[in-house]
Amino acid sequence: MLPRTETSETIANHWLARFEKALAEPDDILLETLFHPDSHWRDVLALTWHIRTVSGLDAILRALKAHVARANPSDFRTDPHRTAPRLVTRAGTNAFEAIFRFETDEGRGSGVLRLIPDASDGNTPKAWTLLTALDEIKGFEEQVGRSRPTGESYSRDFRGPNWLDLRKSAAEYVERDPVVLVVGGGQAGLSIAARLTQLQVDTLIVDREQRIGDNWRNRYHALTLHNQVHVNHLPYMPFPPNWPAYLPKDKVAGWFESYVESMELNYWTATEFRGGTYNETEERWSVPLHRADGTKRELRPRHIVMATGVSGIPNLPDIPTLRNFGGKILHSSQYGDGEAWKGKSALVIGTGNSGHDIAQDLYSSGAKVTLVQRSPTLIVNIEPSAQLPYALYDEGPPLEDCDLITMSIPLQLSRKSHRLLTEQARKLDKKLLDGLERVGFKLDFGEDGTGWQFKYLTRGGGYYFNVGCSDLIVEGEIGLVQFSDIAGFVAEGARTRAGDTLAADLIVLATGYKGQEVLVRKLFGEDVAARVGPIWGFGDEQELRNMFTRSAQSGLWFIAGSFAQCRIYSKYLALQIKACEAGLLPRLRAPSAVSA
């Protein structure tokens, strides 16, 4: 597809030079010749100050012309310090892929270019996908590497405060307010706080748990991460190379404590955030915080970042007859381990990851378990099938390059890619899936066959990575019943429509969580919730709604997702907040991203 006489670097730089020329002159005719008719441009702050994807040649040309004059991008060239240009397969299409760097008047950026031949133009290589992403704002670079703080090397004040004294004082916020208040101290909260701290934005994390890491430590006893360690690093501090492929929850929790200490993050434990009100005139929030010792502090940050996860409030379905049950009822968030239920019977309602893991934990503890399926569920073996989407991270490129390449895939192509991966997983898992269907388990493979990851991105669940529970169901060791076959609940357990009684001492509701908009309504009121709108899932601009970007409520931001999502997008959320503080970006999201 490419001239054999030219090196990969030459080909990439030739396209980039022509692209820069077309933007600078401007030359609409030249610009049009550079893009494939079926092309996509994803910009992450660099030219538009938005996270948005534009698809189709005409739309890309219009969007570029709308923003180029302000951003004034220049100096496009391949980056010799990144993965070299190469031939790859993305979304089932062979393409030439190159990582490049560039500058704008306001910042420095990185990008990914993919070229494929245009059959309508003599197979000329043209841009199929283009990513332009902001790395740093000029004048506000991170203090890392050679730019790190020098510390005190001489003229020390031996009677003055040392590093620890200063850290304790900074974290108390006695005579100042944080610029940013981060609500939630999981991977999302730690990631954004670390990024902001490196940009010298005063940031405080608050979490209602008693100890840093308790949001993982207090989850059910057997929990481990379901994807492998090389995907799950936090910003700046990768996990040690001797760590296991699948991380136990308590190991993650301990790392969170080490991370907060090492990254010098301000973190208040045992602190409950119950909402806040925004003063439009002062452009600040008023936030009363309730401490476990009974004290109350009111802070006035300029920004609140909600880092409470994809979902916030446990979903307790309205099952009218459930009140008849005479045993113990727990939501999955309240479940610890199964030791107390040895020799007893349990019903687990819900067949996502938590439902399966809890059922398996109860079974392993000696309980008689029946799993109750409410709706079709996607099942995928944890190895190798569930790891297929992460293959890039095991191929050799550095983590930073893998993150950039991952982010560069536009939504349409990501859907296609995950359809292909789901088809591959179904073939690999055929024996297991056939066995599940034989015992009456109802299977699902995602909308349009896009698999588990798009289930997560649209609804936050609805799938299970099989680590053994599915095999136990096939073998009959764990019972299975459809919720639709249950007539109602009685004191002894559940009564089926056939008249049988499923005896139970415990019912676990593994029924998930309500969407974040419910939590926003509870914390900030109806007006703010209506202004912000839906959170998570995909919107018109082929991006997650209200995530990692300005919302329609001034000073209110959202971050959530996997370790990888939080690591990648915390960078861009932090850059936007820094830009707001530097006066480069309005605090409020404009009605139209095209005109912003």
Side-chain angles (χ1 to χ4, degrees), residues 161-386:
N162 67 3
W163 171 85
L164 183 59
D165 297 330
L166 294 172
R167 283 290 306 125
K168 289 180 177 178
S169 176
E172 289 173 355
Y173 289 94
V174 174
E175 297 180 350
R176 76 188 198 285
D177 291 299
V179 173
V180 179
L181 182 70
V182 176
V183 182
Q187 63 265 22
L190 297 187
S191 296
I192 185 57
R195 299 285 193 185
L196 287 166
T197 299
Q198 295 309 305
L199 291 171
Q200 293 80 59
V201 178
D202 193 354
T203 302
L204 170 65
I205 305 169
V206 295
D207 195 284
R208 64 187 176 188
E209 300 290 353
Q210 297 298 310
R211 181 180 168 193
I212 296 168
D214 274 355
N215 37 37
W216 281 95
R217 190 179 290 109
N218 292 339
R219 297 173 74 179
Y220 57 88
H221 185 72
L223 178 65
T224 64
L225 299 188
H226 288 94
N227 50 8
Q228 294 184 356
V229 65
H230 53 265
V231 183
N232 289 322
H233 304 290
L234 292 172
Y236 309 109
M237 280 180 60
F239 296 124
N242 65 323
W243 276 32
Y246 296 97
L247 298 179
K249 68 179 180 69
D250 297 288
K251 202 169 185 66
V252 173
W255 184 256
F256 279 12
E257 288 186 307
S258 301
Y259 189 82
V260 168
E261 175 73 16
S262 299
M263 295 303 299
E264 300 184 17
L265 306 183
N266 299 325
Y267 193 126
W268 288 1
T269 56
T271 302
E272 187 175 0
F273 174 86
R274 298 181 184 175
T277 56
Y278 189 74
N279 187 310
E280 297 284 352
T281 303
E282 297 181 2
E283 294 187 325
R284 285 184 179 273
W285 291 92
S286 176
V287 179
L289 297 173
H290 299 260
R291 312 293 297 272
D293 61 5
T295 62
K296 182 178 174 182
R297 280 284 304 274
E298 182 162 325
L299 297 179
R300 299 177 67 249
R302 289 201 284 272
H303 307 269
I304 293 175
V305 178
M306 297 299 296
T308 53
V310 174
S311 312
I313 300 172
N315 180 43
L316 300 173
D318 182 18
I319 306 174
T321 59
L322 190 58
R323 65 175 66 94
N324 299 332
F325 179 59
K328 185 76 171 178
I329 300 174
L330 296 174
H331 185 265
S332 57
S333 59
Q334 301 168 305
Y335 179 84
D337 65 68
E339 289 302 313
W341 304 99
K342 182 177 181 180
K344 298 182 179 181
S345 298
L347 297 175
V348 179
I349 301 177
T351 48
N353 271 319
S354 294
H356 278 86
D357 280 354
I358 290 170
Q360 188 171 353
D361 186 64
L362 286 164
Y363 168 83
S364 299
S365 299
K368 180 182 178 182
V369 188
T370 300
L371 196 61
V372 181
Q373 185 173 26
R374 302 170 70 213
S375 58
T377 308
L378 191 151
I379 305 295
V380 58
N381 275 324
I382 194 165
E383 285 187 347
S385 299

Side-chain angles (χ1 to χ4, degrees), residues 564-578:
Q565 281 177 295
C566 293
R567 179 182 66 246
I568 292 170
Y569 287 100
S570 59
K571 174 179 181 176
Y572 305 106
L573 175 51
L575 284 170
Q576 290 171 86
I577 292 176
K578 184 66 176 183

